[in-house]
Amino acid sequence: MSAAGSSGRGAPPGELQICHEHGQREVFCGLAAIVWLHRKIQDAFFLVVGSRTCAHLIQSAAGVMIFAEPRFATAVLEDRDLAGMADCNDELDRVVGQLLARRPDIGTLFLVGSCPSEVIKLDLEKAAERLAEAHDGRVRVLSYSGSGLETTFTQGEDTCLVAMVPQMPAASAEEISLLVVGALADTVEDQFRRLFDELGIGPVHFFPPRRGSALPPVGAGTRFLLAQPFLGATARALAARGATHLPALYPFGVEGTRAWLLAAARAWGIADERLEAVIAAPVARAERGLDHYRELLAGKRISLLPESQLELPVARFLHRECGMQPVEIGVPYLDRSVMADELALVPADVRVTEGQDLERQLDRLREERPDLTVCGLGLANPLEAEGLRTKWSIELVVAPIHGFDQAGDLAELFARPLIRQARLVA
Ligand code: SF4
């Protein structure tokens, strides 16, 4: 097992100090998850029911990053609607009617809720039922919240998947299957499917699926692995349908990917030696990929500001496999039910913060001046201007970083700003 720079196991249970902060936050709302969800679920359309602010966020976050026929839009509630002069439901029905007439290819329509008070008053769940009926069941209409009052950034995927769980067909207790939960790049999905095939684990389903009209079955025979650490509510919804969670580290780097596969292998009664034989070649490739960056990253100090919920597993990978020294690991919220294995590996001398008090966090950052800071888009430029090197956390959710074959790419994401700095200094 690779553990360059590892300090072995993390803090003994109960000894890890977690600071809780409340204050100003600098984090995307859950609408941002549309950026990767609309790319993953190819027959889905995401209609944000919101304000012009929401429209701007979607256009700037998604529009500039996705070069495809748009499958997201915003039903902007005009001022007259907000003043209660028009019936918002009528307006929504009209927009949806136009959209479905123009786009017969839509298989699943998500109505995505947002913050404005008039939107909060709208019952989008009821609206979804009404619209599905009005369109003769031709399209599945679901709703979920991406509101900044209720969700942060990646939590938008969690609320979206929770909305789909009741629609999944029922599987019987005898139908033993593996469900991989969390949006993955198709190439990564294919790599994992090949490994599960070689191990003799199956049938394997992925959730969300590539087509919303092909939801996987779920039932008492379903065992599920979380591929993303921000899907606690989805895990609970699947458990309520009888599925069993297989807790594990998240599949980042060699250590995380091995532990994740091991959890499935053991649930299928496969010997550890068999797993090692199957993963030997990809592990060797991953180690070769990591070797390019270990020397550069080893000993470098890193702080991760709370945004993506990927902070704990990514810091674990950077510390234990690349030798980086985490100074602070911030998470927007901590769901221990899906983070226990990762928390167990956090070194006792690393500060873990939950929530955010932006000014205090920036004060600590300026005092500690780590070699690299992982943060949101809004903070990166000001911090760079202060001479701090940064990495955008959004890259962690839009770049394929899971699995053995992406371990080197994941390390490279963090090496790049350091290489750029070295070139500027030289
Ligand atoms: Fe802003 Fe709320 Fe719209 Fe997000 S959902 S863009 S936080 S108004």
Side-chain angles (χ1 to χ4, degrees), residues 29 31 53-54 57 114-115 146-148:
C29 63
L31 294 188
T53 312
C54 310
L57 174 90
S114 62
C115 301
S147 156

Side-chain angles (χ1 to χ4, degrees), residues 394-417:
I394 193 168
E395 286 187 61
L396 298 172
V397 281
V398 294
I401 57 169
H402 294 74
F404 294 123
D405 286 308
Q406 281 63 239
D409 298 341
L410 179 55
E412 190 195 356
L413 282 183
F414 298 90
R416 245 187 268 147

